[in-house]
């Protein structure tokens, strides 16, 4: 696995393991290779659903669940199961590098912003691989551009 670090706002680092590959099964479905490490963590800005303000949160992708909180130590405060969760890049007024997650059964999407375009792509790719690993039948297709 290749460990990489990229600097983010405030001199904090994010880390990830990104050697996931998908392949097509004999039944035509996609599968994730066994050596896929579905972990990623780092700072993202999250749009508050009530005040619409952007707040810095620590996010961790652990297998098929995305967790976040005020700090790395509190990152399991909020949990987003990825099975059935839709993901798409979005445009938030003057903000770039934003994407949203729409968990199954929730009315409002979770809107987050990465510092760079490449960081946004990495997060979206990792989340899509995690969705595929969860054998998500409902919304398993992820189109990342």
């Amino acid at each position: 696995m290749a460990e990489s670090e990229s600097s983010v706002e405030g001199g904090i680092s994010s880390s990830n393991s990104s050697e996931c590959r998908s392949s097509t099964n004999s039944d035509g479905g996609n599968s994730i290779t066994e050596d896929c490490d579905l972990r990623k963590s780092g700072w993202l800005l999250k749009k508050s659903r009530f005040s619409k303000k952007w707040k810095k949160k620590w996010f961790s992708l652990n297998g098929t669940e995305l967790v976040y909180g005020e700090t790395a130590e509190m990152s399991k405060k909020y949990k987003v199961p990825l099975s059935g969760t839709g993901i798409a890049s979005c445009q938030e007024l003057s903000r770039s590098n934003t994407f949203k997650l729409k968990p199954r059964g929730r009315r409002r999407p979770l809107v987050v912003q990465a510092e760079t375009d490449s960081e946004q792509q990495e997060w979206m790719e990792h989340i899509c691989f995690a969705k595929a690993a969860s054998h998500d039948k409902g919304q398993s297709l992820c189109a990342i551009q």
Side-chain angles (χ1 to χ4, degrees):
M1 293 297 140
E3 282 288 317
S4 64
E5 289 192 3
S6 59
S7 63
V8 295
E9 190 176 314
I12 307 297
S13 296
S14 65
S15 63
N16 65 68
S17 296
S18 178
E19 289 296 322
C20 299
R21 299 285 181 256
S22 64
S23 59
T24 304
N25 299 354
S26 59
D27 64 356
N30 288 337
S31 68
I32 302 298
T33 58
E34 291 179 18
D35 63 343
C36 184
D37 188 358
L38 299 173
R39 292 180 293 168
K40 180 169 179 60
S41 58
W43 293 104
L44 293 171
L45 293 175
K46 179 193 166 290
K47 186 177 181 180
S48 169
R49 66 182 195 179
F50 296 115
S51 69
K52 306 298 185 203
K53 292 182 180 179
W54 293 84
K55 295 183 179 182
K56 193 174 184 178
K57 303 285 184 184
W58 182 263
F59 282 80
S60 292
L61 180 62
N62 296 318
T64 60
E65 184 175 68
L66 182 67
V67 295
Y68 65 96
E70 302 296 321
T71 65
E73 293 77 29
M74 295 177 61
S75 68
K76 295 188 183 205
K77 185 173 182 178
Y78 302 100
K79 296 180 181 184
V80 179
L82 297 176
S83 181
T85 296
I87 181 172
S89 59
C90 62
Q91 195 62 31
E92 285 289 317
L93 298 174
S94 63
R95 293 189 177 258
S96 57
N97 311 319
T98 56
F99 62 99
K100 63 181 172 181
L101 298 161
K102 177 68 171 76
R104 182 185 347 201
R106 293 193 188 168
R107 296 180 72 185
R108 297 184 186 154
L110 175 72
V111 181
V112 294
Q113 179 186 23
E115 185 178 17
T116 65
D117 182 56
S118 62
E119 188 179 355
Q120 175 197 9
Q121 289 296 107
E122 286 177 18
W123 273 103
M124 292 179 71
E125 286 173 5
H126 274 73
I127 291 168
C128 283
F129 279 120
K131 283 172 53 65
S134 73
H135 307 293
D136 187 4
K137 303 292 184 207
Q139 298 179 357
S140 61
L141 289 178
C142 290
I144 299 177
Q145 300 175 359

